[in-house]
Amino acid sequence: MLDRRSGCPINLSLEVFGDRWSLVILRDMIFGGRRHFRELLNHSMEGIASNILADRLRRLLELGMLTRADDPSHKQKAIYSLTEMSIQLVPIMAALGAWGRAWLPVSEELSIRAELMEKGGPALWERFMDELRFEHLGIGVASPEGETVRAELRAAYAAVVARKAVPPIPFEQERL
């Protein structure tokens, strides 16, 4: 097992999440639904290097936060799944997002999901964790197609992106 500096719960948590990538990987799995190495590598907006991703995935596996299984559709692919330990991070991710929205210069499109998670509160978090349990652990009942928390978050993101993509009407033309 890993050496620990102390038994303090904050210290122990930082030993798990204190690097700059572990929470980002878990964020992409939880909110982005990414489960393959290439998805995590190619769709990370922060630009994680392949050797760092491999190292962090290995560490998260060792810590029991992820499991890895062979992908039946491709011999050389693996599917990573969240464990209950990682699924229980949803409220923490929501709190981090709320804190970031309050104190840091976030972009509207990248913070809309955090806003919805904050406003939805514990009821939304529980619903999302139940969906993740079904998706990753095979426990529970599937949510109706298109009615998942992830689908709601994606739709809100897409709406902000679409609204921002429409050029504003100049004031002079607005009066016509």
Side-chain angles (χ1 to χ4, degrees):
M1 197 64 186
L2 304 170
D3 290 332
R4 308 287 185 201
R5 291 183 298 233
S6 77
C8 168
I10 293 172
N11 170 69
L12 291 171
S13 297
L14 285 174
E15 286 183 12
V16 173
F17 305 117
D19 69 82
R20 73 187 310 178
W21 293 109
S22 294
L23 280 177
V24 171
I25 292 165
L26 292 169
R27 175 206 65 193
D28 288 351
M29 291 185 71
I30 290 169
F31 294 100
R34 298 184 185 124
R35 302 196 52 190
H36 293 94
F37 184 90
R38 288 275 169 229
E39 291 174 324
L40 290 162
L41 181 67
N42 295 333
H43 299 292
S44 169
M45 66 184 109
E46 290 83 11
I48 189 169
S50 62
N51 62 323
I52 301 294
L53 176 58
D55 179 68
R56 294 316 182 278
L57 288 171
R58 189 171 23 261
R59 180 163 167 74
L60 292 168
L61 286 163
E62 288 171 4
L63 291 165
M65 302 203 63
L66 299 177
T67 59
R68 182 183 186 276
D70 291 335
D71 185 336
S73 70
H74 194 284
K75 290 181 189 177
Q76 296 177 331
K77 278 187 172 181
I79 299 173
Y80 292 92
S81 295
L82 302 168
T83 63
E84 183 64 27
M85 181 190 256
S86 293
I87 291 168
Q88 289 288 320
L89 288 171
V90 167
I92 294 166
M93 295 274 197
L96 281 171
W99 184 87
R101 284 184 61 248
W103 296 102
L104 301 173
V106 299
S107 68
E108 182 183 4
E109 61 273 14
L110 294 178
S111 67
I112 188 65
R113 293 174 279 216
E115 180 180 342
L116 294 176
M117 291 295 290
E118 181 180 2
K119 287 179 178 175
L124 183 69
W125 308 341
E126 283 299 325
R127 193 173 128 220
F128 194 26
M129 289 190 293
D130 285 344
E131 292 169 7
L132 291 168
R133 286 182 188 102
F134 180 79
E135 181 181 341
H136 290 264
L137 305 175
I139 298 170
V141 179
S143 297
E145 189 69 30
E147 295 181 28
T148 65
V149 172
R150 189 180 294 132
E152 291 174 29
L153 299 175
R154 282 184 178 155
Y157 170 79
V160 171
V161 169
R163 181 177 47 76
K164 291 183 97 175
V166 175
I169 299 169
F171 180 72
E172 300 80 34
Q173 291 179 359
E174 202 174 272
R175 291 184 289 174
L176 299 176

